Amino acid sequence: MNAVKTLLILLGTYLCCINFSFALDLALVKENLLNKTKEISELNIETEDVVVENKMFNNQSYVFIIANISGYTDRTIVGASFSCINILHSDKVIFAFCSNGNMQIQTKGDFWTLENKSEEFGYEESYRNESYYTFRLINDIFYLHQYSQKYFYYDRFCGRFDDRLISFDIFYRQPRDDPKKENLIPLDSINDEFFSKLTELCYKAGHCKEVDWEVVNERKLKDFSESCE
């Protein structure tokens, strides 16, 4: 009886140490991610936030850590935001990605989507860009399922973003571009350069179209005569 009791105590101590060790590792990952986000963004920071979400896929735990910061640059007083994400599985970082904008995730079944919304202010034109990166778990590996973007224009006359789209493009969709699943794109191969390549291929294939700026400008001129209410 004493031997069993001793074994249970040792087991409890061991599990406690594992949990404590993981908590320390997670805290370190959060701190490192936030520091990395600050360094890459080059923003004068006004706000910062780190979000941690634990999600289950196929009875396995994945930890999503997102660092969002906002501020402004030395070149302009216009506000900006920047985000980085890490995904942990089995105590290892399996995905790391950073971008202008504010990130959040949505999950459903074997799918998860990284949503990134950014505002781009220029001397002539300004936009709100919404990017969506959807991944699907297949045989315990996440693969890119869809990559798309929406653009909305900034109404300088009213000082706000218009809710009507300038463009909506699906740069990649696995059932469309790889229906036989012969060239699936794994999560660990994703980066900015690869997304640029997918964008270029979409235009070449005719799935994506350039923005008709004449139509956009006609809409803007019409809006100038309307109320900003």
Side-chain angles (χ1 to χ4, degrees):
M1 186 66 179
N2 289 334
V4 174
K5 184 177 180 180
T6 302
L7 180 60
L8 290 175
I9 292 174
L10 291 174
L11 180 60
T13 303
Y14 173 72
L15 292 175
C16 180
C17 290
I18 291 178
N19 290 334
F20 181 68
S21 175
F22 178 73
L24 288 177
D25 291 343
L26 183 58
L28 183 60
V29 172
K30 289 171 59 180
E31 181 181 358
N32 289 340
L33 183 62
L34 182 59
N35 290 336
K36 176 184 177 182
T37 306
K38 293 178 179 178
E39 180 181 352
I40 297 176
S41 73
E42 299 183 344
L43 291 177
N44 296 306
I45 300 169
E46 294 181 318
T47 64
E48 60 184 56
D49 183 37
V50 180
V51 177
V52 179
E53 296 188 48
N54 186 27
K55 301 293 184 179
M56 300 296 294
F57 294 91
N58 195 24
N59 296 319
Q60 297 186 58
S61 176
Y62 294 81
V63 181
F64 293 76
I65 307 172
I66 298 177
N68 289 313
I69 64 173
S70 63
Y72 59 93
T73 68
D74 293 329
R75 299 181 298 276
T76 176
I77 60 173
V78 176
S81 56
F82 193 85
S83 301
C84 290
I85 182 174
N86 278 176
I87 301 178
L88 276 63
H89 179 55
S90 299
D91 297 342
K92 295 181 180 179
V93 176
I94 63 170
F95 181 59
F97 182 66
C98 296
S99 180
N100 291 321
N102 195 281
M103 294 181 182
Q104 63 179 13
I105 63 163
Q106 301 289 339
T107 61
K108 185 176 181 180
D110 290 333
F111 296 85
W112 70 270
T113 298
L114 175 64
E115 301 177 0
N116 186 45
K117 298 181 180 181
S118 64
E119 297 176 356
E120 303 174 15
F121 293 93
Y123 289 107
E124 296 183 0
E125 304 291 347
S126 298
Y127 314 96
R128 184 175 81 240
N129 174 15
E130 298 182 0
S131 300
Y132 300 87
Y133 315 87
T134 299
F135 297 87
R136 182 182 183 183
L137 187 67
I138 301 176
N139 296 327
D140 293 332
I141 298 176
F142 283 113
Y143 294 97
L144 182 64
H145 181 75
Q146 181 168 297
Y147 163 45
S148 62
Q149 280 188 345
K150 295 179 180 179
Y151 274 93
F152 303 83
Y153 78 80
Y154 183 77
D155 186 341
R156 290 178 181 269
F157 182 73
C158 295
R160 67 188 182 195
F161 284 98
D162 195 290
D163 289 333
R164 288 170 292 181
L165 282 169
I166 292 177
S167 66
F168 172 46
D169 290 308
I170 299 176
F171 298 115
Y172 175 83
R173 182 170 173 78
Q174 180 264 309
R176 181 192 71 190
D177 300 305
D178 186 21
K180 296 183 179 180
K181 300 181 180 180
E182 295 176 336
N183 297 289
L184 294 176
I185 303 171
L187 179 67
D188 59 8
S189 68
I190 297 298
N191 53 44
D192 281 329
E193 183 178 351
F194 193 81
F195 285 130
S196 296
K197 181 180 178 181
L198 292 178
T199 301
E200 181 181 347
L201 291 173
C202 185
Y203 283 110
K204 285 184 177 180
H207 298 307
C208 300
K209 296 181 179 180
E210 297 289 346
V211 175
D212 188 336
W213 291 108
E214 289 188 9
V215 173
V216 173
N217 289 329
E218 287 177 3
R219 183 194 302 171
K220 289 181 180 179
L221 290 173
K222 180 177 181 294
D223 289 344
F224 286 156
S225 62
E226 298 178 352
S227 171
C228 292
E229 295 296 331

